Structure formats: C-alpha cells, structure tokens
Amino acid sequence: MEFKKFKAATVQTAPVFLNVEKTIDKAISFVQEAATNGAKLIAFPEVFVAGYPYWNWVMTPVQGSKWYEELYKCSVTTDDEDMLRLYQAAKDNDIHIVIGINERGNSYGEIYNTNLIIDNNGNLIGRHRKLVPTWAEKLTWTSGDGSSLKVYDTEIGPIGTLACGENTNTLARFTLLSQGELIHIANYISLPVAPPDYNMAEAIKIRAAAHSFEGKLFTIVSCSTISKEIMDALKDDVPNIEELLTRKNSAFSGFIGPNGAVIGEPLIDDEGIVYADIDLAKCIQPKQMHDILGHYNRFDIFDLRVNIAPTRKITFIDNHEEFNKR
C-alpha cells in the first residue's frame, strides 16, 4: 500500500457575489496559482459558486424571499458550461479540486449545498450534498441524503468532504472514516452574525482538530470571507449591514495534522491562499494508540447502520396488484 506525499493548497476568499461566470474565473485563477506552486490539491469554500444566503440571518423570511429567487437563478448543475471550464482547469493544471456550489435541483424550489470532488484528469468523481442545512439555512437549502457519504480514491489518496456545520455530526464523520478517509475537506463560510460569545474561527479549528485527532488523518479547511461587494448588495435592505457582517475571528482556513495540531500558519479573516506538505504515512503511527476503526473500538457493542440509498420522491406502479400490496 502506497501512502502519498504531496503539496496541498486551501483558499480563503469571497466569491463574486451571485455571478457564476466571474466566480469560476476567480476559482480558475487560484487553481493556476496553486498548480504553479506545486500543489496537487486545492480546496475552496462552502457554496463558493456563487454565494452564501446571508440574508437568512439579517432579514426576515419575507424580506429575504426575493434574494432566494436570485440565488436560485444563479445556482448551477454539475454539467453547466461554466462548471465544465473548471473541470478542464483541473485537467490542464494536473490538480484535484474540492469546491462548494449552490446546486440547482429538479424542482424550482430546490437548491442543494453541494461539495464537488474533481480529480486531476478533469473528472467529476464525487458530489456531496449537505445532509442538514444549519439553523437559518433551512430557508434556502434542501437536505441531501446518505448516498453522497462517500470517500473517493484519487492519485493522491482517499478524499472525503463535509460542509460547514455537518463537520459537527459525529456519525457522518465516522461514516467517512470507516471508508478509509485520509484527506478530509471541511469547507465553511464566514459567520459574523453568530451569538456574541461565539468565536467562529475557533469553532472551525476545534471541529477540524477533533476529526483529525479522532480519525488520525489530515483535515484541510477552506472558509469564505465577506467582501464589500456582498455588503453593498444587501445594504438597501439592511442599512446597518457593515455592523452585522464585519466582526473579527469569523473565518479560519488552514491544515490540521493527524495529531490534531495546526500545520503552519492558518488564515484568520484575511483573504489568501496557504499551502502545506502532506505525508499520508503520518496517519499510521498515531493509530497504534487510538484506532476507532479497529482495535480501539467495540463493534460487538456498537453497530452503526447508514442508509446510502438515494431519496425517492415518487414510485410509479403500473399494475393494481402491486399497488394494493402497500
């Protein structure tokens, strides 16, 4: 079994708000920069394409409804032309990409908070839909299902991903660990409107450290920032928007090693790109002490079952006998 060594990059920045084409342009520029610097993997924030529904936190549901419509109109499907440009950039630059999108569903009221895993050959190999939107996010996103709780084998190693608050979900994290995850992408958004005693940057770091320490793997965190453009767009509806969306310690991006410690210097609030050298062999030795997937667990006591069947919205039955069985 081969444990890879490679350089990884993670981005902390804002999208071009509700503009898919320009946000993809921005993402591709980061991809090119990372590849030039030798990175084989780059992580982007939650719903980077093309924006987070901050109006859910600072407006009433009625006020925010028009913004929901705008977000739906600029949501994407995985085969949209702009997304194909991003896949091509992965291939052209020989780099893996994990990026968050607002994914348009089949219903006109259906948007998913989705993370895409794109390999270095430009293939979309994975699509994870956030299982449960967090708090005010329920006004925008539809819940995903267990079919996307997967780990994907790549040239650099096995990759899994969860979006923002679901990195708190112990069972979801264990499901990925049990599939051999060694590289975990946890992406977030900056959230200044949290309760006054809540340090978002510290909370992100704690969650990442917990997953890395428990699973003995590398966690790569990518968090968005809030640009002046975003605040200007919402200012007519929320005149004190700057007061609400500029609190410090609201974003954290960086790397956590298998021992739960931060690697290098993370980004706190500032925009930019940071790098780390990843050696997956470092995931082995810590498991001698705590291997919750093996000798440090009791599967005769604990039994986790996971429904990975895609949600079915409708079942068509073409004979009365079968229909009447139910």
Side-chain angles (χ1 to χ4, degrees):
M1 184 176 182
E2 186 178 5
F3 290 83
K4 299 286 188 173
K5 295 181 180 180
F6 62 94
K7 179 181 282 189
T10 188
V11 174
Q12 184 158 282
T13 191
V16 181
F17 193 50
L18 302 183
N19 188 316
V20 172
E21 181 180 2
K22 289 184 178 179
T23 296
I24 293 296
D25 289 340
K26 186 172 185 177
I28 290 174
S29 70
F30 275 111
V31 166
Q32 293 169 339
E33 177 182 346
T36 299
N37 288 318
K40 294 299 180 182
L41 168 66
I42 184 169
F44 285 95
E46 180 184 20
V47 291
F48 188 64
V49 184
Y52 180 82
Y54 281 106
W55 51 87
N56 286 348
W57 301 91
V58 296
M59 300 182 196
T60 69
V62 174
Q63 283 178 300
S65 185
K66 68 177 182 181
W67 287 102
Y68 174 86
E69 181 177 342
E70 289 299 314
L71 184 66
Y72 181 83
K73 288 177 179 177
C74 80
S75 58
V76 297
T77 61
T78 56
D79 58 357
D80 281 359
E81 184 176 337
D82 283 308
M83 298 308 301
L84 299 181
R85 291 197 295 124
L86 185 63
Y87 307 158
Q88 186 63 44
K91 181 177 181 180
D92 292 343
N93 292 277
D94 188 25
I95 191 170
H96 301 75
I97 301 171
V98 179
I99 189 169
I101 66 170
N102 285 284
E103 182 191 6
R104 185 166 66 253
N106 295 325
S107 166
Y108 297 127
E110 189 176 46
I111 309 173
Y112 293 97
N113 178 332
T114 299
N115 282 345
L116 303 181
I117 301 97
I118 306 158
D119 72 11
N120 60 323
N121 296 308
N123 300 311
L124 176 62
I125 60 172
R127 178 182 66 177
H128 170 66
R129 291 170 168 174
K130 190 172 185 177
L131 298 177
V132 182
T134 305
W135 203 348
E137 294 173 357
K138 293 179 175 67
L139 290 167
T140 292
W141 292 316
T142 299
S143 295
D145 59 41
S147 66
S148 68
L149 278 176
K150 295 180 180 179
V151 172
Y152 300 90
D153 289 326
T154 71
E155 289 185 12
I156 57 173
I159 297 175
T161 184
L162 294 172
C164 200
E166 64 181 350
N167 285 284
T168 310
N169 188 323
T170 306
L171 301 184
R173 294 192 295 106
F174 188 86
T175 299
L176 295 182
L177 294 175
S178 69
Q179 297 174 67
E181 183 187 43
L182 293 179
I183 308 160
H184 182 74
I185 312 298
N187 56 7
Y188 290 82
I189 48 86
S190 177
L191 191 62
V193 291
D197 60 348
Y198 189 78
N199 184 320
M200 181 67 173
E202 185 67 14
I204 292 172
K205 184 178 74 171
I206 289 170
R207 278 180 270 202
H211 190 59
S212 280
F213 187 83
E214 290 170 4
K216 314 307 182 192
L217 81 169
F218 289 89
T219 296
I220 303 172
V221 180
S222 176
C223 188
S224 63
T225 59
I226 301 175
S227 63
K228 185 176 184 300
E229 174 199 22
I230 293 173
M231 291 187 286
D232 287 346
L234 302 177
K235 193 173 181 63
D236 284 347
D237 291 306
V238 186
N240 65 331
I241 193 69
E242 289 91 351
E243 176 187 343
L244 297 172
L245 296 185
T246 55
R247 192 171 69 171
K248 298 296 184 182
N249 295 312
S250 294
F252 173 102
S253 295
F255 301 86
I256 309 290
N259 60 356
V262 175
I263 300 171
E265 291 295 325
L267 291 169
I268 306 294
D269 295 333
D270 296 330
E271 293 206 352
I273 182 170
V274 289
Y275 299 89
D277 292 319
I278 306 295
D279 179 0
L280 295 184
K282 292 185 181 297
C283 298
I284 303 172
Q285 196 173 33
K287 282 180 173 283
Q288 187 175 15
M289 182 180 294
H290 304 126
D291 182 9
I292 61 172
L293 306 169
H295 66 77
Y296 207 68
N297 217 323
R298 290 288 304 275
F299 296 110
D300 57 328
I301 300 174
F302 305 113
D303 177 19
L304 174 63
R305 297 193 310 154
V306 182
N307 180 6
I308 61 170
T311 298
R312 290 193 303 182
K313 298 180 180 178
I314 188 169
T315 301
F316 291 100
I317 299 172
D318 64 359
N319 64 82
H320 292 295
E321 291 76 14
E322 185 68 23
F323 182 82
N324 289 330
K325 287 181 181 179
R326 300 191 63 176

